[in-house]
Amino acid sequence: MSGGRPDWRALGLRLRLSHPADPPSLGLALLSLFLVAPPQGWLAWGREASRYFPHVDFARLRLADLIRIPLQLLWLALVRLPEAGPRALRSPSGSGRLARAAGRFGAAAAAGRAACRGWLQRQFPAWFDPERLRRAVEGAAEHQWWQNPLLRGGCYALAALLGAVCVTTPFDEASQAVFTIVLLLIALWVRRIPGPVSTLILMVFSIAVSTRYIWWRTTSTINDDSWPNLVSGLILLGAELYAWLVLLLGFLQSSWMLKRKATPLPADTSLWPTVDVFIPIYSEPLRVLKPTVFAAMTMDWPRDKLRVHILDDGDSEEIRRFAAEAGAGYITRARHDHAKAGNINHALGLTGGEFVAIFDCDHIPTRSFLQVTMGGFLRDAKLALVQTPHHFFSADPFERNLDTHHKIPNENELFYGRVQDGNDLWNATFFCGSCAVLRRAPLLEVGGIAVETVTEDAHTSLKLHRLGYRSSYLNTIQAAGLATESLSAHVGQRIRWARGMAQIFRSDNPLFGKGLTLGQRFCYLNAMMHFLYGIPRLVFLTAPLAFLLFHAYTIYAPALGLVLYVVPHMVFAVMSNSRMHGQFRRSFWGEIYETVLAWYITLPTTVALLFPGLGKFNVTAKGGVVEENYVDWDISKPYLALLGLNLLGVGFGAYRLWQGPANEMGTVVVNLLWVGYNTLLLSVALAVARELRQVRVAHRVNAALPVTLHLPDGKAYRCHTLDYSEGGMALRLPAGLSLRRYRDEDLTVSLRRGQRSFAFPCRMVFARDGRLSVRFSDLSMEQERELVQCTFARADAWLEADARAHEGSPLHGAGDVWRMGSSSLRQLLAGALLPASLRGARWFSILRGLGSLLPRQPQLIRD
């Protein structure tokens, strides 16, 4: 302190995070100091704290820094920084009263929360014991009173009446606020209770709040004083009605996970049935096919009751020779009509096994696949289909290009982790084309695999269910394969799925026709409705522009009304879906996937609805490589166009804040927040289109398998694998072991399968830091088969993949969108994603200027 004034330089230097696990506290402290300190003060400490403002030169402040500094402060206040232990700016001796107050503010707030929570726990201990609450809730749900149909029906009728009153009763703004707050507090308390019953309660809350929002939208917010207002309002309302319907169907479909267990087989193997294994292939390389064939031929099943057939629709002489050498059946056909479905149907006429197991050529089954899936067929004569999950050990374009592989659940995990388990409750498990077993007789009864649509698998299961056959889903990974290699291939695959489901919706609608239960109709309907999200998602990405650019009111309501109705609708929907699906998908990631695909599925689904006979099957390429980093500009064009429109909306919104009427400021802010969120989603879509280099032909699988390393001098060392592939593996060496002198010599690694040990010759790729990488050399076909048995086909190969952690808080998903979206947008504006030919354009300097305003990662240092 000097002259009674704070020493702002010392204050800035002494700013520390109050707790390393709560970095936003730093942002709040900096923001507080920024607001209370005089300009000369925050400039003084700001120069010393430049690590938190890497894009600001405090020695030469510029006019644009008036935007950069507040944005960075807000970013620090809201976003969790990467954890790397305690962090701080280096600080010399010296302190001030305000510095101590700022440093203690976060601790005092945390202590207050802890004291309040402690008092509540002492006063109401039962309310804070999750397990006790779970037993109480599930005990009430399972009480014998509910066996009385009259009581159960009366309760349902009363609940429906209360729901109707809750949804349709008009509230003033204060009453709506009280209603929302009370319901939210109850929901936050219920959210603490583990178990499926509390999940159902959250679903009911979400349905009530969302249905109340839709009622308010349809009765109170449509402005018909002009055609632009009416048309834009009705378009947005239509998209919201679609989203609301899908929300309700999704809740019904996934309301309860059946978690079916495998049915044991009889001990007498003579009672086990015969099984034909079909592996259809078209143009995929032999190296992709070989592990699948080797694994299928060594499944634990009587040799005389297992026949493996390669169904080659590409008439490859190389694959014909391989089938002969491996001892597998080889089936081809003269006419290649109806793609994969026709290929399988042709093979059905040439084989005679009681059951058919189908694997795509890249899906490698474990040795236990048939023993896990076949028991139910022997117990239930009406069971026609058993489906298992599709698991992928390679990264899909989202995982590779966003660096989320093994960190965030991929796009498929929600369907195979939660949705299919929910379908199983309603006897509506979908056939997914691979990793499944079907009973031959019912399959022939429906005419074989369906050929009327390009999603032949789902259509086949629909036909089986119409005839009254049952299906089951075993949520245990028993096979694994390759994901799509590029975004363009991924989009092409999803286009086929979307077109096929729209074709089924149009030509064999599950709402009509005989044979399906109500639950089955709703499950199939939701699957088909899901793929119609193209137009609604495009509406959500452009709706705020109607007001910002053209001053058209899509929702004719005051800003406070939007907050009181829209925000609860979104909060409860996100909270409920996070509780249901958080183990299999992070919050807000569904919107990322839809944003990437919406433009491309809109036209195919629309055409399929109008002309269901059009469209053809396209094979998804697998096993490819990406030679170098590049941006797929062809597929990025829609994202760039929509991003440009949203950035234009930001500019118009800023102008309306500056020059617009005062009574519209709230509406402008709401639309700016909406367009800002759309900008982040579109920026993430651009990041996905930036294909990263992937040159591994054989994808590695992380696993810790016991292995013995044999050196040329006869010494042997016990190690564990770090990862493995068909081409090699990485080992963790014992401490102190150096292998430099063996660089050009032959090594051997041996793996165990049961009581047997198998040796594989290899050569060193490198050895450093206790890690050895080897490449297999000159393996015979028998050794290749043994290697697959010891790695990919192990019964426990994918047990760790079955263990998934819940996301915890939906804020983690929101943080993903913010972090990846802002990073992608910054790179785009800085020119990192643009071709070199465009970086010299005049307008590029404007983009760079805008990019310089965005927040940056602080350059913190470790203690």
Side-chain angles (χ1 to χ4, degrees), residues 180-258:
T180 300
I181 292 172
V182 170
L183 205 60
L184 180 60
L185 291 175
I186 297 174
L188 291 173
W189 178 71
V190 170
R191 189 171 178 265
R192 294 174 46 82
I193 305 174
V197 176
S198 53
T199 302
L200 291 176
I201 295 173
L202 290 176
M203 286 169 45
V204 171
F205 286 176
S206 180
I207 291 172
V209 172
S210 295
T211 306
R212 180 171 177 80
Y213 166 73
I214 291 296
W215 178 267
W216 173 74
R217 281 283 285 117
T218 55
T219 60
S220 306
T221 65
I222 301 299
N223 184 10
D224 59 357
D225 64 349
S226 67
W227 279 107
N229 287 339
L230 179 61
V231 172
S232 59
L234 290 177
I235 290 175
L236 178 58
L237 178 60
E240 290 180 300
L241 286 170
Y242 164 85
W244 172 72
L245 178 59
V246 170
L247 178 72
L248 298 188
L249 290 173
F251 282 159
L252 174 70
Q253 186 178 33
S254 305
S255 56
W256 198 279
M257 297 175 69
L258 188 58

Side-chain angles (χ1 to χ4, degrees), residues 382-385 420 423-424 426-431 442 446 457-472 514-517 520-521 523-524:
K382 291 291 287 183
L383 182 62
L385 164 68
Q420 278 280 61
N423 286 340
D424 199 18
W426 305 101
N427 186 32
T429 297
F430 302 159
F431 172 42
V446 298
D457 40 18
H459 199 183
T460 300
S461 57
L462 175 61
K463 289 184 174 184
L464 290 170
H465 286 134
R466 283 195 185 278
L467 292 183
Y469 288 105
R470 285 188 282 273
S471 60
S472 74
K514 298 180 180 179
L516 298 180
T517 65
Q520 288 175 325
R521 295 181 192 276
C523 287
Y524 277 102

